[in-house]
Amino acid sequence: MTQPALAYRWSQSEFVRAWEAKAFDHRVELVEGEIWPVVIGSWHGDAVGQVLALLPRVGVRVTTATLPTGGSLPDPDCWVRRADAEPVGTIGTRLSVWDAADVLLVVEVADETTIQDLNVKARLYGQAGYAVYWVITQEAIYEHTGPIATGYRTRVEYLHGERISVPYAGVELAVDDLIASDLA
């Protein structure tokens, strides 16, 4: 009779120590104790560049830093925080922890990771209390709002030809511009 293999769950501190020791030979993130590879293709890179160029920046900071969330260390493609926000803590020597009220928007660009971003990461970011979470795919943008313990109360799909509101800035952006559809 064979025994089932035991799964090992990494803690944030273990992951950070391994990362700082350069133990990983490619870009990875810690999600609910598991190490996930970060997959980046051509369209993904173009779309992230478009989002970074288009997001309004008055009174905010747009960053690509790791966003410690619960016991995880996800690497959203970008996220926005209040310009005057101060970290509420640190993990290791280089990762800042932020109050959820200061995190105004979290963005994942999903090419090969759509299912994980719409489910696991939506739950993770919602549980953390981040007000707005976007998943950008080549076909649509999925906006999650109303964070709750199980994820988000609302998910709205925005398609090509539509516009999506950027609540922290009081403006709308064209979905086609954010999706970088002319670059796909």
Side-chain angles (χ1 to χ4, degrees):
M1 181 157 125
T2 60
Q3 298 263 340
L6 296 175
Y8 184 78
R9 295 270 193 225
W10 289 67
S11 70
Q12 284 181 332
S13 61
E14 291 169 327
F15 179 85
V16 168
R17 280 196 314 271
W19 175 65
E20 288 176 342
K22 301 185 185 340
F24 306 112
D25 63 356
H26 56 281
R27 190 171 161 203
V28 294
E29 60 187 339
L30 180 67
V31 178
E32 297 182 330
E34 297 177 356
I35 296 176
W36 288 10
V38 175
V39 181
I40 302 171
S42 295
W43 171 80
H44 179 278
D46 290 342
V48 171
Q50 285 288 100
V51 171
L52 290 171
L54 293 172
L55 284 176
R57 297 176 184 275
V58 175
V60 301
R61 300 277 175 153
V62 179
T63 182
T64 60
T66 296
L67 181 59
T69 302
S72 297
L73 297 171
D75 264 338
D77 290 299
C78 70
W79 55 280
V80 179
R81 70 175 185 266
R82 297 180 200 291
D84 60 353
E86 294 289 330
V88 295
T90 58
I91 298 172
T93 59
R94 303 188 326 185
L95 296 178
S96 296
V97 178
W98 301 92
D99 187 294
D102 293 326
V103 177
L104 307 175
L105 173 66
V106 178
V107 179
E108 294 282 2
V109 174
D111 200 358
E112 297 179 24
T113 60
T114 304
I115 299 299
Q116 295 93 329
D117 292 342
L118 288 173
N119 294 292
V120 177
K121 286 195 175 176
R123 183 179 69 248
L124 197 68
Y125 296 142
Q127 287 172 343
Y130 304 141
V132 182
Y133 169 51
W134 289 354
V135 176
I136 300 176
T137 70
Q138 291 187 46
E139 294 77 34
I141 298 176
Y142 298 89
E143 179 186 55
H144 300 75
T145 57
I148 56 176
T150 56
Y152 285 91
R153 189 170 281 114
T154 306
R155 179 168 82 188
V156 177
E157 180 180 6
Y158 292 87
L159 301 172
H160 289 277
E162 295 182 332
R163 298 182 69 76
I164 187 168
S165 174
V166 184
Y168 73 83
V171 300
E172 289 185 345
L173 298 173
V175 168
D176 289 327
D177 291 344
L178 291 164
I179 288 178
S181 58
D182 59 333
L183 304 170

